Amino acid sequence: MSRRASAFRIDASPEENLVAVRALVKRFPVKGGFFSAEGQEVHAVDGVDLEVRRGETLGLVGESGCGKSTLARLILRLERPTSGQVFFEGTDVSTVRPSQMKSLRRRMQIIFQDPYSSLNPRRTVRQIIGEPLVIHRIGTREERRKKVLSLMDEVGLRPEHLDRYPHEFSGGQRQRIGIARALALQPSLIVADEPVSALDVSIRSQVINLLEDLQEKYGLTYIFISHDLSVVELISDRVAVMYLGKIVEIAAKEDLYGAPLHPYTEALLSAVPVPDPEARRKRILLEGDVPSPIDPPLGCHFHPRCWLRVPICSVIEPPLKDMGRGHKAACHVRAPDTAAFALFQERS
């Protein structure tokens, strides 16, 4: 279990949101080829509304290809949105000039999934961790050296590692280097994109504990992306579930894991191994394959695979409705919306 208890109020005010995403859309054009037509687009992120509160860890889960990493890159403005807005500390990062973006980048950082490919193999630990300080012209050479040593100590690396190269470290140590680099500019937001998926199981808990310690010490806000629901439950305060570019459910982790509303969330949780050889969990097997993001289904994107589907599901897209305690779900059956049903009656 996580060493820290969730202490976030359900009725958080807008001022408590570090990040606010509004109607965010990202579509990638598909180049014409032998099997594809011109003008097609991949609907990577398809109308997402989301808030991330100061000091919390928001878990972002879903199958591979559902848009988790693209959403994170849009928040950091590593990608530009097709439409919609991303507010960070009240500033719309999708419209700011490059000169303004440089100062914003000091307050938002990322920890990448692969701790080897995300580090320059030709640079030493001193250069990798110190590079953000050089780019932003922070301190003298000696001050930067002391800062790098301090960051190394924070993440559990020894001073003799200072002039070694990435290939001389284990996977867990390389990820600690990536964490130290992300901390160098004292950010308020860190996006952790599958930070432990490439590590041995025995090392994962150490890295998760390190992230929790750093969050408590520096008041960090995390967006923690993973497909491992057990890890997300361990570290998160709230959890958002994505499917085919959309947020289909979001809630405090106790509510989402204890009483999921969306059928997709229920199916994902049924696949999580239970650490008890005597326990048995009913597995929900979804029918069919994930629809193509180039041509997503009308209505609810999940309806072709859903065992609860009703006629409205294939016609009207369900809104993300709050069912109480901040538990939101986009499902016509589990979270019915009066306006959606009225629109369906008009079209019938």
Side-chain angles (χ1 to χ4, degrees):
M1 294 297 292
S2 177
R3 295 174 299 164
R4 59 188 179 86
S6 176
F8 290 92
R9 301 199 317 274
I10 299 302
D11 57 342
S13 64
E15 291 76 17
E16 292 178 289
N17 293 328
L18 182 68
V19 177
V21 174
R22 297 288 177 259
L24 195 62
V25 173
K26 180 62 180 179
R27 295 179 180 174
F28 294 100
V30 178
K31 294 182 179 180
F34 189 78
F35 294 106
S36 61
E38 291 284 355
Q40 291 183 320
E41 294 179 317
V42 174
H43 297 238
V45 175
D46 198 4
V48 167
D49 291 291
L50 185 68
E51 294 83 31
V52 183
R53 301 167 191 166
R54 295 179 185 274
E56 79 167 334
T57 298
L58 176 71
L60 191 58
V61 302
E63 293 171 288
S64 296
C66 71
K68 304 185 299 295
S69 294
T70 301
L71 175 58
R73 293 174 69 86
L74 289 169
I75 291 173
L76 297 173
R77 219 185 86 165
L78 298 176
E79 296 280 357
R80 287 185 175 272
T82 303
S83 63
Q85 295 174 295
V86 177
F87 294 94
F88 175 74
E89 295 182 335
T91 301
D92 186 355
V93 301
S94 57
T95 61
V96 299
R97 296 189 300 272
S99 58
Q100 295 173 296
M101 197 63 219
K102 184 175 180 180
S103 65
L104 284 174
R105 292 211 185 281
R106 293 182 61 169
R107 305 199 295 276
M108 53 169 74
Q109 294 292 312
I110 185 169
I111 301 168
F112 294 96
Q113 176 178 356
D114 187 343
Y116 189 73
S117 63
S118 64
L119 303 178
N120 190 331
R122 297 184 178 183
R123 288 178 174 258
T124 63
V125 172
R126 180 203 304 266
Q127 294 169 320
I128 290 170
I129 299 176
E131 185 176 22
L133 303 174
V134 173
I135 291 173
H136 290 271
R137 300 178 181 179
I138 297 174
T140 63
R141 179 175 296 184
E142 180 59 25
E143 288 171 340
R144 289 196 291 266
R145 177 182 174 279
K146 290 179 179 179
K147 179 68 173 178
V148 169
L149 286 171
S150 174
L151 289 166
M152 290 174 63
D153 182 63
E154 290 274 14
V155 300
L157 295 171
R158 297 193 298 272
E160 55 265 33
H161 294 154
L162 193 63
D163 292 310
R164 293 184 185 178
Y165 292 87
H167 72 271
E168 299 179 80
F169 295 92
S170 66
Q173 288 175 317
R174 285 196 288 261
Q175 195 60 289
R176 289 172 187 268
I177 296 170
I179 293 170
R181 178 177 60 184
L183 285 174
L185 297 175
Q186 298 178 323
S188 52
L189 172 69
I190 292 181
V191 172
D193 189 358
E194 304 263 14
V196 297
S197 64
L199 305 180
D200 293 339
V201 175
S202 60
I203 305 299
R204 291 183 184 184
S205 61
Q206 296 177 22
V207 174
I208 290 171
N209 289 341
L210 172 62
L211 290 172
E212 289 186 330
D213 289 340
L214 293 171
Q215 182 177 42
E216 184 175 350
K217 182 173 182 178
Y218 294 108
L220 298 169
T221 301
Y222 291 144
I223 298 176
F224 190 92
I225 301 171
S226 181
H227 60 268
D228 189 330
L229 287 160
S230 299
V231 172
V232 169
E233 183 180 17
L234 188 68
I235 195 172
S236 300
D237 298 297
R238 292 189 303 141
V239 180
V241 181
M242 284 194 75
Y243 181 80
L244 214 60
K246 291 185 177 292
I247 300 289
V248 297
E249 186 166 4
I250 183 168
K253 70 175 179 182
E254 297 84 1
D255 295 333
L256 188 133
Y257 281 80
L261 291 176
H262 199 280
Y264 177 62
T265 308
E266 192 176 351
L268 287 180
L269 292 174
S270 76
V272 177
V274 180
D276 182 352
E278 302 298 326
R280 293 290 181 268
R281 174 179 285 172
K282 183 181 178 182
R283 178 72 186 274
I284 298 173
L285 299 177
L286 299 177
E287 54 186 66
D289 297 322
V290 179
S292 170
I294 296 176
D295 186 25
L298 295 176
C300 175
H301 285 185
F302 185 64
H303 86 263
R305 307 173 73 191
C306 182
W307 65 95
L308 295 178
R309 62 181 178 265
V310 292
I312 189 177
C313 298
S314 60
V315 180
I316 304 295
E317 179 184 332
L320 194 63
K321 184 174 181 181
D322 194 333
M323 300 301 290
R325 289 177 46 83
H327 193 158
K328 300 179 182 180
C331 178
H332 288 304
V333 178
R334 299 273 180 80
D337 181 75
T338 304
F341 275 90
L343 181 60
F344 177 66
Q345 292 296 330
E346 291 178 11
R347 295 185 179 183
S348 301

